[in-house]
Amino acid sequence: MIRVQAEDFDIGAEVAALTAGRTDIGAVVTFSGLVRDASGNAPVTSMELEHYPGMTEKELARIETEAHERWPLQATLIVHRVGRLAPGDNIVLVVAASAHREAAFEAASFLMDYLKTRAPFWKREEGQGEARWVDARESDDQAATRWKR
Amino acid sequence: MKLLYFAWVKQKAGTGEEEVSLPANIRDVNGLIAWLKTRGEGYEAAFADLGIIRCAVDQAHGDFDTSIAGATEVAFFPPVTGG
């Protein structure tokens, strides 16, 4: 399941909804990403998340489908926030549920690595009266290449 | 054809979205970029360093040699930074 939204999310409620009424799930791995108050040495007072409506949902769905092709997953959820966020706010939630933990751990990691390098979101950080677009990180590209086959 | 620009590419191009009629000889993203760069300083600045430009054709990631024949929407943006 995919959701792109301005509103915050409640991790406990999301996991409860995903597993409600199911007894075939033995493992749930969740990852959530939050806004930090600094980027290197530069303070961050707020962040603006822009995205490409239409393609964002398609790309997240493609990533989710690929995870289900690679691992035996009972359920997955990706929630990504857009708009204006403050330090400490949630940005992204990934949940992977499977019968056994290995698939859930690996799928959650895969979903995040692919989301970071393929989903069309862009962060702009503000601090000390100026705004700057965040540069993509080489380490994120490298993390994603480990799933290449 | 609809063209979309995001993040700093949008700021440099000076627009986020536009409808254009392309010359018939433009076949791929490379050709489209070359044509866009003739349309003004903003576009020239936006496409000055193609190493940090990514594109999507009809809402799927593409390369500069991806065909745009029959495409309805092409987007240009920096490497993504979500998550």
Side-chain angles (χ1 to χ4, degrees), chain A residues 50-52 54-55 58-59 62 80 91-92 115-124 133-136, chain B residues 4-8 10-11 54-56 58-61 73-75 77-83:
Chain A
E50 185 175 318
H51 78 121
Y52 181 174
M55 180 173 169
K58 285 194 182 121
E59 197 58 37
R62 280 190 278 262
H80 204 297
I91 304 177
V92 62
L115 183 156
K116 277 203 159 273
T117 51
R118 301 191 61 86
F121 293 97
W122 300 275
K123 289 179 182 141
R124 192 165 71 143
W133 291 100
V134 173
D135 286 328
Chain B
L4 295 163
Y5 310 92
F6 293 96
W8 57 256
K10 170 167 75 180
Q11 289 180 321
R54 301 291 180 267
C55 65
D58 285 339
Q59 305 195 345
H61 287 292
E73 187 173 307
V74 177
F77 42 81
V80 302
T81 55

mmCIF file of all heavy atoms in Angstrom, chain A residues 50-52 54-55 58-59 62 80 91-92 115-124 133-136, chain B residues 4-8 10-11 54-56 58-61 73-75 77-83:
data_model
loop_
_atom_site.group_PDB
_atom_site.id
_atom_site.type_symbol
_atom_site.label_atom_id
_atom_site.label_comp_id
_atom_site.label_asym_id
_atom_site.label_seq_id
_atom_site.Cartn_x
_atom_site.Cartn_y
_atom_site.Cartn_z
ATOM 1 N N GLU A 50 9.162 18.551 -1.850
ATOM 2 C CA GLU A 50 8.441 18.651 -3.118
ATOM 3 C C GLU A 50 8.397 17.262 -3.750
ATOM 4 O O GLU A 50 9.269 16.444 -3.509
ATOM 5 C CB GLU A 50 9.209 19.619 -4.039
ATOM 6 C CG GLU A 50 8.520 19.915 -5.354
ATOM 7 C CD GLU A 50 9.288 20.985 -6.164
ATOM 8 O OE1 GLU A 50 9.746 21.975 -5.563
ATOM 9 O OE2 GLU A 50 9.431 20.782 -7.380
ATOM 10 N N HIS A 51 7.383 16.997 -4.568
ATOM 11 C CA HIS A 51 7.363 15.709 -5.276
ATOM 12 C C HIS A 51 6.677 15.871 -6.628
ATOM 13 O O HIS A 51 6.240 16.967 -6.979
ATOM 14 C CB HIS A 51 6.696 14.625 -4.427
ATOM 15 C CG HIS A 51 5.194 14.678 -4.399
ATOM 16 N ND1 HIS A 51 4.413 13.637 -4.819
ATOM 17 C CD2 HIS A 51 4.347 15.661 -4.014
ATOM 18 C CE1 HIS A 51 3.134 13.966 -4.679
ATOM 19 N NE2 HIS A 51 3.066 15.181 -4.193
ATOM 20 N N TYR A 52 6.638 14.801 -7.367
ATOM 21 C CA TYR A 52 6.090 14.783 -8.724
ATOM 22 C C TYR A 52 4.783 13.992 -8.677
ATOM 23 O O TYR A 52 4.794 12.774 -8.827
ATOM 24 C CB TYR A 52 7.125 14.111 -9.633
ATOM 25 C CG TYR A 52 6.810 13.983 -11.108
ATOM 26 C CD1 TYR A 52 7.785 13.492 -11.969
ATOM 27 C CD2 TYR A 52 5.568 14.326 -11.667
ATOM 28 C CE1 TYR A 52 7.556 13.356 -13.330
ATOM 29 C CE2 TYR A 52 5.332 14.188 -13.028
ATOM 30 C CZ TYR A 52 6.319 13.690 -13.856
ATOM 31 O OH TYR A 52 6.089 13.546 -15.198
ATOM 32 N N GLY A 54 1.682 11.931 -9.284
ATOM 33 C CA GLY A 54 1.431 11.013 -10.402
ATOM 34 C C GLY A 54 2.595 10.049 -10.533
ATOM 35 O O GLY A 54 2.435 8.847 -10.328
ATOM 36 N N MET A 55 3.778 10.583 -10.835
ATOM 37 C CA MET A 55 4.932 9.686 -10.945
ATOM 38 C C MET A 55 5.329 9.136 -9.578
ATOM 39 O O MET A 55 5.746 7.980 -9.468
ATOM 40 C CB MET A 55 6.139 10.377 -11.576
ATOM 41 C CG MET A 55 7.339 9.434 -11.676
ATOM 42 S SD MET A 55 8.730 10.101 -12.590
ATOM 43 C CE MET A 55 9.995 8.879 -12.191
ATOM 44 N N LYS A 58 3.308 6.140 -8.845
ATOM 45 C CA LYS A 58 3.663 5.046 -9.762
ATOM 46 C C LYS A 58 5.004 4.423 -9.381
ATOM 47 O O LYS A 58 5.159 3.208 -9.395
ATOM 48 C CB LYS A 58 3.756 5.574 -11.200
ATOM 49 C CG LYS A 58 2.413 5.837 -11.827
ATOM 50 C CD LYS A 58 2.562 6.025 -13.333
ATOM 51 C CE LYS A 58 1.207 6.341 -13.950
ATOM 52 N NZ LYS A 58 1.177 7.604 -14.641
ATOM 53 N N GLU A 59 5.973 5.279 -9.065
ATOM 54 C CA GLU A 59 7.305 4.782 -8.754
ATOM 55 C C GLU A 59 7.281 3.994 -7.440
ATOM 56 O O GLU A 59 7.902 2.940 -7.335
ATOM 57 C CB GLU A 59 8.286 5.959 -8.672
ATOM 58 C CG GLU A 59 9.741 5.576 -8.755
ATOM 59 C CD GLU A 59 10.109 4.823 -10.038
ATOM 60 O OE1 GLU A 59 9.552 5.146 -11.115
ATOM 61 O OE2 GLU A 59 10.954 3.926 -9.967
ATOM 62 N N ARG A 62 5.841 0.678 -8.130
ATOM 63 C CA ARG A 62 6.808 -0.189 -8.828
ATOM 64 C C ARG A 62 7.803 -0.798 -7.831
ATOM 65 O O ARG A 62 8.132 -1.976 -7.896
ATOM 66 C CB ARG A 62 7.581 0.612 -9.892
ATOM 67 C CG ARG A 62 6.817 0.823 -11.193
ATOM 68 C CD ARG A 62 7.717 1.393 -12.290
ATOM 69 N NE ARG A 62 7.885 2.831 -12.207
ATOM 70 C CZ ARG A 62 7.191 3.709 -12.930
ATOM 71 N NH1 ARG A 62 6.284 3.293 -13.786
ATOM 72 N NH2 ARG A 62 7.395 5.005 -12.803
ATOM 73 N N HIS A 80 4.790 8.453 2.692
ATOM 74 C CA HIS A 80 5.785 9.524 2.576
ATOM 75 C C HIS A 80 5.069 10.865 2.692
ATOM 76 O O HIS A 80 4.060 11.093 2.037
ATOM 77 C CB HIS A 80 6.516 9.440 1.237
ATOM 78 C CG HIS A 80 7.879 10.080 1.268
ATOM 79 N ND1 HIS A 80 8.056 11.426 1.513
ATOM 80 C CD2 HIS A 80 9.113 9.559 1.099
ATOM 81 C CE1 HIS A 80 9.370 11.690 1.481
ATOM 82 N NE2 HIS A 80 10.032 10.580 1.243
ATOM 83 N N ILE A 91 9.046 11.872 8.405
ATOM 84 C CA ILE A 91 9.048 12.085 6.951
ATOM 85 C C ILE A 91 8.484 10.872 6.233
ATOM 86 O O ILE A 91 7.632 10.973 5.374
ATOM 87 C CB ILE A 91 10.483 12.299 6.393
ATOM 88 C CG1 ILE A 91 11.192 13.443 7.096
ATOM 89 C CG2 ILE A 91 10.415 12.549 4.883
ATOM 90 C CD1 ILE A 91 12.630 13.630 6.613
ATOM 91 N N VAL A 92 9.017 9.702 6.598
ATOM 92 C CA VAL A 92 8.690 8.504 5.823
ATOM 93 C C VAL A 92 8.497 7.302 6.738
ATOM 94 O O VAL A 92 9.126 7.207 7.799
ATOM 95 C CB VAL A 92 9.817 8.228 4.785
ATOM 96 C CG1 VAL A 92 11.148 7.953 5.464
ATOM 97 C CG2 VAL A 92 9.468 7.073 3.853
ATOM 98 N N LEU A 115 13.527 3.616 -2.579
ATOM 99 C CA LEU A 115 12.769 4.863 -2.425
ATOM 100 C C LEU A 115 13.714 6.064 -2.487
ATOM 101 O O LEU A 115 13.453 7.054 -3.167
ATOM 102 C CB LEU A 115 12.009 4.816 -1.095
ATOM 103 C CG LEU A 115 11.085 5.964 -0.711
ATOM 104 C CD1 LEU A 115 10.038 5.475 0.270
ATOM 105 C CD2 LEU A 115 11.832 7.141 -0.113
ATOM 106 N N LYS A 116 14.841 5.941 -1.789
ATOM 107 C CA LYS A 116 15.774 7.069 -1.703
ATOM 108 C C LYS A 116 16.425 7.401 -3.038
ATOM 109 O O LYS A 116 16.853 8.536 -3.259
ATOM 110 C CB LYS A 116 16.873 6.765 -0.669
ATOM 111 C CG LYS A 116 16.440 7.068 0.754
ATOM 112 C CD LYS A 116 17.659 7.292 1.631
ATOM 113 C CE LYS A 116 17.348 8.070 2.889
ATOM 114 N NZ LYS A 116 17.406 9.502 2.765
ATOM 115 N N THR A 117 16.560 6.418 -3.909
ATOM 116 C CA THR A 117 17.268 6.667 -5.169
ATOM 117 C C THR A 117 16.339 6.753 -6.376
ATOM 118 O O THR A 117 16.774 7.145 -7.445
ATOM 119 C CB THR A 117 18.310 5.555 -5.438
ATOM 120 O OG1 THR A 117 17.688 4.274 -5.321
ATOM 121 C CG2 THR A 117 19.457 5.644 -4.440
ATOM 122 N N ARG A 118 15.053 6.399 -6.216
ATOM 123 C CA ARG A 118 14.158 6.368 -7.375
ATOM 124 C C ARG A 118 12.866 7.176 -7.231
ATOM 125 O O ARG A 118 12.310 7.634 -8.237
ATOM 126 C CB ARG A 118 13.797 4.910 -7.714
ATOM 127 C CG ARG A 118 15.016 4.054 -8.018
ATOM 128 C CD ARG A 118 14.623 2.713 -8.599
ATOM 129 N NE ARG A 118 13.907 2.843 -9.857
ATOM 130 C CZ ARG A 118 14.508 2.944 -11.042
ATOM 131 N NH1 ARG A 118 15.808 2.925 -11.119
ATOM 132 N NH2 ARG A 118 13.795 3.061 -12.138
ATOM 133 N N ALA A 119 12.352 7.315 -6.014
ATOM 134 C CA ALA A 119 11.070 8.018 -5.858
ATOM 135 C C ALA A 119 11.298 9.526 -6.002
ATOM 136 O O ALA A 119 12.206 10.083 -5.389
ATOM 137 C CB ALA A 119 10.449 7.693 -4.508
ATOM 138 N N PRO A 120 10.479 10.183 -6.846
ATOM 139 C CA PRO A 120 10.719 11.603 -7.144
ATOM 140 C C PRO A 120 10.268 12.574 -6.046
ATOM 141 O O PRO A 120 9.247 13.237 -6.155
ATOM 142 C CB PRO A 120 9.954 11.824 -8.457
ATOM 143 C CG PRO A 120 8.863 10.810 -8.439
ATOM 144 C CD PRO A 120 9.382 9.629 -7.662
ATOM 145 N N PHE A 121 11.104 12.626 -4.998
ATOM 146 C CA PHE A 121 10.932 13.621 -3.928
ATOM 147 C C PHE A 121 12.202 14.469 -3.881
ATOM 148 O O PHE A 121 13.292 13.958 -4.153
ATOM 149 C CB PHE A 121 10.796 12.936 -2.565
ATOM 150 C CG PHE A 121 9.554 12.123 -2.370
ATOM 151 C CD1 PHE A 121 9.575 10.747 -2.567
ATOM 152 C CD2 PHE A 121 8.370 12.726 -1.964
ATOM 153 C CE1 PHE A 121 8.429 9.985 -2.368
ATOM 154 C CE2 PHE A 121 7.222 11.965 -1.752
ATOM 155 C CZ PHE A 121 7.256 10.602 -1.962
ATOM 156 N N TRP A 122 12.035 15.735 -3.498
ATOM 157 C CA TRP A 122 13.204 16.608 -3.327
ATOM 158 C C TRP A 122 13.047 17.414 -2.050
ATOM 159 O O TRP A 122 12.003 18.021 -1.797
ATOM 160 C CB TRP A 122 13.353 17.557 -4.516
ATOM 161 C CG TRP A 122 13.524 16.809 -5.792
ATOM 162 C CD1 TRP A 122 14.684 16.322 -6.310
ATOM 163 C CD2 TRP A 122 12.488 16.405 -6.698
ATOM 164 N NE1 TRP A 122 14.430 15.643 -7.478
ATOM 165 C CE2 TRP A 122 13.102 15.681 -7.732
ATOM 166 C CE3 TRP A 122 11.097 16.577 -6.718
ATOM 167 C CZ2 TRP A 122 12.377 15.137 -8.789
ATOM 168 C CZ3 TRP A 122 10.374 16.036 -7.760
ATOM 169 C CH2 TRP A 122 11.023 15.333 -8.780
ATOM 170 N N LYS A 123 14.130 17.437 -1.254
ATOM 171 C CA LYS A 123 14.104 18.169 0.019
ATOM 172 C C LYS A 123 14.775 19.521 -0.131
ATOM 173 O O LYS A 123 15.854 19.620 -0.732
ATOM 174 C CB LYS A 123 14.885 17.383 1.074
ATOM 175 C CG LYS A 123 14.214 16.121 1.533
ATOM 176 C CD LYS A 123 15.102 15.420 2.549
ATOM 177 C CE LYS A 123 14.487 14.120 3.000
ATOM 178 N NZ LYS A 123 15.490 13.066 3.154
ATOM 179 N N ARG A 124 14.150 20.521 0.428
ATOM 180 C CA ARG A 124 14.791 21.828 0.522
ATOM 181 C C ARG A 124 14.849 22.222 1.987
ATOM 182 O O ARG A 124 13.815 22.325 2.650
ATOM 183 C CB ARG A 124 14.018 22.875 -0.276
ATOM 184 C CG ARG A 124 14.826 24.164 -0.439
ATOM 185 C CD ARG A 124 14.233 25.040 -1.496
ATOM 186 N NE ARG A 124 12.992 25.605 -1.016
ATOM 187 C CZ ARG A 124 12.604 26.847 -1.297
ATOM 188 N NH1 ARG A 124 13.341 27.607 -2.071
ATOM 189 N NH2 ARG A 124 11.478 27.303 -0.832
ATOM 190 N N TRP A 133 18.583 23.431 -1.649
ATOM 191 C CA TRP A 133 18.137 22.099 -2.069
ATOM 192 C C TRP A 133 19.171 21.088 -1.600
ATOM 193 O O TRP A 133 20.368 21.297 -1.745
ATOM 194 C CB TRP A 133 17.997 22.041 -3.591
ATOM 195 C CG TRP A 133 16.855 22.864 -4.079
ATOM 196 C CD1 TRP A 133 16.921 24.118 -4.624
ATOM 197 C CD2 TRP A 133 15.468 22.517 -4.027
ATOM 198 N NE1 TRP A 133 15.653 24.559 -4.919
ATOM 199 C CE2 TRP A 133 14.749 23.601 -4.571
ATOM 200 C CE3 TRP A 133 14.751 21.394 -3.587
ATOM 201 C CZ2 TRP A 133 13.355 23.597 -4.682
ATOM 202 C CZ3 TRP A 133 13.369 21.389 -3.696
ATOM 203 C CH2 TRP A 133 12.690 22.478 -4.236
ATOM 204 N N VAL A 134 18.681 20.006 -1.048
ATOM 205 C CA VAL A 134 19.576 18.960 -0.554
ATOM 206 C C VAL A 134 20.179 18.203 -1.736
ATOM 207 O O VAL A 134 19.486 17.879 -2.694
ATOM 208 C CB VAL A 134 18.797 17.981 0.355
ATOM 209 C CG1 VAL A 134 19.634 16.783 0.750
ATOM 210 C CG2 VAL A 134 18.293 18.726 1.591
ATOM 211 N N ASP A 135 21.494 17.961 -1.694
ATOM 212 C CA ASP A 135 22.158 17.184 -2.749
ATOM 213 C C ASP A 135 21.965 15.693 -2.514
ATOM 214 O O ASP A 135 21.941 15.238 -1.379
ATOM 215 C CB ASP A 135 23.668 17.480 -2.769
ATOM 216 C CG ASP A 135 23.961 18.848 -3.354
ATOM 217 O OD1 ASP A 135 23.196 19.281 -4.241
ATOM 218 O OD2 ASP A 135 24.937 19.483 -2.924
ATOM 219 N N ALA A 136 21.847 14.947 -3.615
ATOM 220 C CA ALA A 136 21.771 13.488 -3.500
ATOM 221 C C ALA A 136 23.098 12.963 -2.973
ATOM 222 O O ALA A 136 24.143 13.558 -3.214
ATOM 223 C CB ALA A 136 21.453 12.878 -4.863
ATOM 224 N N LEU B 4 7.553 19.252 -17.536
ATOM 225 C CA LEU B 4 7.509 19.557 -16.108
ATOM 226 C C LEU B 4 8.924 19.717 -15.579
ATOM 227 O O LEU B 4 9.845 19.037 -16.046
ATOM 228 C CB LEU B 4 6.828 18.410 -15.348
ATOM 229 C CG LEU B 4 5.351 18.167 -15.657
ATOM 230 C CD1 LEU B 4 4.937 16.788 -15.185
ATOM 231 C CD2 LEU B 4 4.502 19.221 -14.978
ATOM 232 N N TYR B 5 9.088 20.618 -14.620
ATOM 233 C CA TYR B 5 10.396 20.848 -14.009
ATOM 234 C C TYR B 5 10.215 20.854 -12.492
ATOM 235 O O TYR B 5 9.223 21.380 -11.993
ATOM 236 C CB TYR B 5 10.970 22.194 -14.457
ATOM 237 C CG TYR B 5 10.938 22.388 -15.953
ATOM 238 C CD1 TYR B 5 9.852 23.003 -16.565
ATOM 239 C CD2 TYR B 5 11.986 21.937 -16.751
ATOM 240 C CE1 TYR B 5 9.807 23.161 -17.945
ATOM 241 C CE2 TYR B 5 11.963 22.100 -18.124
ATOM 242 C CZ TYR B 5 10.859 22.721 -18.718
ATOM 243 O OH TYR B 5 10.828 22.863 -20.076
ATOM 244 N N PHE B 6 11.197 20.271 -11.792
ATOM 245 C CA PHE B 6 11.080 20.204 -10.331
ATOM 246 C C PHE B 6 12.343 20.715 -9.639
ATOM 247 O O PHE B 6 13.429 20.725 -10.218
ATOM 248 C CB PHE B 6 10.800 18.766 -9.897
ATOM 249 C CG PHE B 6 9.456 18.266 -10.332
ATOM 250 C CD1 PHE B 6 9.334 17.519 -11.499
ATOM 251 C CD2 PHE B 6 8.305 18.570 -9.619
ATOM 252 C CE1 PHE B 6 8.096 17.072 -11.933
ATOM 253 C CE2 PHE B 6 7.058 18.131 -10.041
ATOM 254 C CZ PHE B 6 6.952 17.378 -11.201
ATOM 255 N N ALA B 7 12.151 21.079 -8.370
ATOM 256 C CA ALA B 7 13.230 21.535 -7.479
ATOM 257 C C ALA B 7 14.016 22.679 -8.140
ATOM 258 O O ALA B 7 13.411 23.577 -8.725
ATOM 259 C CB ALA B 7 14.111 20.362 -7.066
ATOM 260 N N TRP B 8 15.368 22.655 -8.070
ATOM 261 C CA TRP B 8 16.103 23.812 -8.591
ATOM 262 C C TRP B 8 16.041 23.915 -10.109
ATOM 263 O O TRP B 8 16.273 24.986 -10.671
ATOM 264 C CB TRP B 8 17.541 23.859 -8.095
ATOM 265 C CG TRP B 8 18.406 22.663 -8.365
ATOM 266 C CD1 TRP B 8 18.767 21.710 -7.453
ATOM 267 C CD2 TRP B 8 19.030 22.294 -9.599
ATOM 268 N NE1 TRP B 8 19.557 20.767 -8.061
ATOM 269 C CE2 TRP B 8 19.746 21.095 -9.371
ATOM 270 C CE3 TRP B 8 19.049 22.841 -10.887
ATOM 271 C CZ2 TRP B 8 20.471 20.440 -10.377
ATOM 272 C CZ3 TRP B 8 19.771 22.194 -11.893
ATOM 273 C CH2 TRP B 8 20.470 21.020 -11.626
ATOM 274 N N LYS B 10 13.310 23.694 -11.758
ATOM 275 C CA LYS B 10 12.139 24.558 -11.918
ATOM 276 C C LYS B 10 12.516 26.014 -11.669
ATOM 277 O O LYS B 10 12.130 26.901 -12.440
ATOM 278 C CB LYS B 10 11.042 24.110 -10.936
ATOM 279 C CG LYS B 10 9.867 25.081 -10.848
ATOM 280 C CD LYS B 10 8.671 24.489 -10.143
ATOM 281 C CE LYS B 10 8.856 24.406 -8.651
ATOM 282 N NZ LYS B 10 7.665 23.825 -7.982
ATOM 283 N N GLN B 11 13.279 26.245 -10.599
ATOM 284 C CA GLN B 11 13.672 27.631 -10.282
ATOM 285 C C GLN B 11 14.506 28.245 -11.397
ATOM 286 O O GLN B 11 14.316 29.397 -11.766
ATOM 287 C CB GLN B 11 14.436 27.669 -8.961
ATOM 288 C CG GLN B 11 13.525 27.399 -7.771
ATOM 289 C CD GLN B 11 14.271 27.427 -6.445
ATOM 290 O OE1 GLN B 11 15.393 26.957 -6.340
ATOM 291 N NE2 GLN B 11 13.625 27.973 -5.434
ATOM 292 N N ARG B 54 18.183 14.660 -14.190
ATOM 293 C CA ARG B 54 17.522 13.380 -14.445
ATOM 294 C C ARG B 54 16.232 13.665 -15.208
ATOM 295 O O ARG B 54 15.722 14.789 -15.156
ATOM 296 C CB ARG B 54 17.197 12.658 -13.128
ATOM 297 C CG ARG B 54 18.413 12.355 -12.260
ATOM 298 C CD ARG B 54 19.310 11.306 -12.865
ATOM 299 N NE ARG B 54 20.470 11.027 -12.019
ATOM 300 C CZ ARG B 54 21.652 11.636 -12.144
ATOM 301 N NH1 ARG B 54 21.818 12.576 -13.069
ATOM 302 N NH2 ARG B 54 22.663 11.323 -11.351
ATOM 303 N N CYS B 55 15.706 12.640 -15.889
ATOM 304 C CA CYS B 55 14.479 12.872 -16.652
ATOM 305 C C CYS B 55 13.518 11.705 -16.497
ATOM 306 O O CYS B 55 13.912 10.594 -16.120
ATOM 307 C CB CYS B 55 14.809 13.097 -18.121
ATOM 308 S SG CYS B 55 15.517 11.645 -18.919
ATOM 309 N N ALA B 56 12.259 11.987 -16.773
ATOM 310 C CA ALA B 56 11.235 10.948 -16.801
ATOM 311 C C ALA B 56 10.380 11.187 -18.039
ATOM 312 O O ALA B 56 10.049 12.331 -18.360
ATOM 313 C CB ALA B 56 10.369 11.007 -15.544
ATOM 314 N N ASP B 58 6.800 10.165 -19.640
ATOM 315 C CA ASP B 58 5.497 9.614 -19.250
ATOM 316 C C ASP B 58 5.558 8.960 -17.865
ATOM 317 O O ASP B 58 5.087 7.835 -17.650
ATOM 318 C CB ASP B 58 4.973 8.639 -20.305
ATOM 319 C CG ASP B 58 4.453 9.398 -21.526
ATOM 320 O OD1 ASP B 58 4.126 10.596 -21.400
ATOM 321 O OD2 ASP B 58 4.379 8.786 -22.609
ATOM 322 N N GLN B 59 6.162 9.689 -16.925
ATOM 323 C CA GLN B 59 6.188 9.331 -15.507
ATOM 324 C C GLN B 59 6.970 8.059 -15.196
ATOM 325 O O GLN B 59 6.683 7.374 -14.209
ATOM 326 C CB GLN B 59 4.763 9.241 -14.944
ATOM 327 C CG GLN B 59 3.974 10.545 -15.183
ATOM 328 C CD GLN B 59 2.718 10.656 -14.353
ATOM 329 O OE1 GLN B 59 2.244 9.678 -13.782
ATOM 330 N NE2 GLN B 59 2.189 11.857 -14.271
ATOM 331 N N ALA B 60 7.963 7.740 -16.049
ATOM 332 C CA ALA B 60 8.883 6.639 -15.755
ATOM 333 C C ALA B 60 10.302 7.152 -15.985
ATOM 334 O O ALA B 60 10.542 7.896 -16.946
ATOM 335 C CB ALA B 60 8.592 5.441 -16.641
ATOM 336 N N HIS B 61 11.247 6.751 -15.132
ATOM 337 C CA HIS B 61 12.631 7.207 -15.286
ATOM 338 C C HIS B 61 13.143 6.904 -16.686
ATOM 339 O O HIS B 61 12.912 5.813 -17.223
ATOM 340 C CB HIS B 61 13.538 6.510 -14.267
ATOM 341 C CG HIS B 61 13.355 7.019 -12.873
ATOM 342 N ND1 HIS B 61 13.721 8.280 -12.491
ATOM 343 C CD2 HIS B 61 12.825 6.444 -11.773
ATOM 344 C CE1 HIS B 61 13.438 8.457 -11.199
ATOM 345 N NE2 HIS B 61 12.881 7.350 -10.747
ATOM 346 N N GLU B 73 4.240 13.484 -21.764
ATOM 347 C CA GLU B 73 4.771 14.236 -20.626
ATOM 348 C C GLU B 73 6.249 13.904 -20.407
ATOM 349 O O GLU B 73 6.610 12.741 -20.311
ATOM 350 C CB GLU B 73 3.958 13.842 -19.385
ATOM 351 C CG GLU B 73 4.234 14.633 -18.135
ATOM 352 C CD GLU B 73 3.239 14.271 -17.023
ATOM 353 O OE1 GLU B 73 2.021 14.325 -17.263
ATOM 354 O OE2 GLU B 73 3.691 13.929 -15.928
ATOM 355 N N VAL B 74 7.083 14.928 -20.367
ATOM 356 C CA VAL B 74 8.499 14.732 -20.063
ATOM 357 C C VAL B 74 8.852 15.644 -18.888
ATOM 358 O O VAL B 74 8.454 16.818 -18.861
ATOM 359 C CB VAL B 74 9.407 15.060 -21.269
ATOM 360 C CG1 VAL B 74 10.881 14.924 -20.893
ATOM 361 C CG2 VAL B 74 9.089 14.141 -22.447
ATOM 362 N N ALA B 75 9.574 15.102 -17.908
ATOM 363 C CA ALA B 75 9.933 15.889 -16.724
ATOM 364 C C ALA B 75 11.444 15.915 -16.535
ATOM 365 O O ALA B 75 12.135 14.948 -16.850
ATOM 366 C CB ALA B 75 9.269 15.292 -15.484
ATOM 367 N N PHE B 77 14.504 16.986 -13.602
ATOM 368 C CA PHE B 77 14.682 17.250 -12.169
ATOM 369 C C PHE B 77 16.080 16.844 -11.717
ATOM 370 O O PHE B 77 16.766 16.095 -12.422
ATOM 371 C CB PHE B 77 13.613 16.491 -11.362
ATOM 372 C CG PHE B 77 13.343 15.089 -11.827
ATOM 373 C CD1 PHE B 77 14.175 14.042 -11.468
ATOM 374 C CD2 PHE B 77 12.238 14.810 -12.631
ATOM 375 C CE1 PHE B 77 13.919 12.746 -11.883
ATOM 376 C CE2 PHE B 77 11.974 13.503 -13.072
ATOM 377 C CZ PHE B 77 12.812 12.473 -12.695
ATOM 378 N N PRO B 78 16.503 17.293 -10.535
ATOM 379 C CA PRO B 78 17.797 16.866 -9.989
ATOM 380 C C PRO B 78 17.680 15.432 -9.471
ATOM 381 O O PRO B 78 16.564 14.927 -9.317
ATOM 382 C CB PRO B 78 18.038 17.813 -8.805
ATOM 383 C CG PRO B 78 16.926 18.792 -8.805
ATOM 384 C CD PRO B 78 15.825 18.251 -9.632
ATOM 385 N N PRO B 79 18.815 14.779 -9.182
ATOM 386 C CA PRO B 79 18.759 13.471 -8.515
ATOM 387 C C PRO B 79 17.847 13.571 -7.285
ATOM 388 O O PRO B 79 17.885 14.571 -6.567
ATOM 389 C CB PRO B 79 20.213 13.219 -8.117
ATOM 390 C CG PRO B 79 21.011 13.952 -9.148
ATOM 391 C CD PRO B 79 20.218 15.193 -9.442
ATOM 392 N N VAL B 80 17.047 12.524 -7.055
ATOM 393 C CA VAL B 80 16.018 12.599 -6.010
ATOM 394 C C VAL B 80 16.623 12.535 -4.606
ATOM 395 O O VAL B 80 17.691 11.951 -4.413
ATOM 396 C CB VAL B 80 14.969 11.487 -6.198
ATOM 397 C CG1 VAL B 80 14.319 11.607 -7.571
ATOM 398 C CG2 VAL B 80 15.593 10.104 -6.017
ATOM 399 N N THR B 81 15.925 13.138 -3.649
ATOM 400 C CA THR B 81 16.456 13.217 -2.275
ATOM 401 C C THR B 81 15.379 12.965 -1.222
ATOM 402 O O THR B 81 15.362 13.583 -0.166
ATOM 403 C CB THR B 81 17.104 14.598 -2.013
ATOM 404 O OG1 THR B 81 16.132 15.624 -2.300
ATOM 405 C CG2 THR B 81 18.317 14.818 -2.879
ATOM 406 N N GLY B 82 14.455 12.044 -1.528
ATOM 407 C CA GLY B 82 13.405 11.747 -0.550
ATOM 408 C C GLY B 82 13.876 10.777 0.525
ATOM 409 O O GLY B 82 15.052 10.447 0.614
ATOM 410 N N GLY B 83 12.929 10.316 1.310
ATOM 411 C CA GLY B 83 13.211 9.324 2.354
ATOM 412 C C GLY B 83 13.640 9.939 3.654
ATOM 413 O O GLY B 83 13.761 11.129 3.776
#
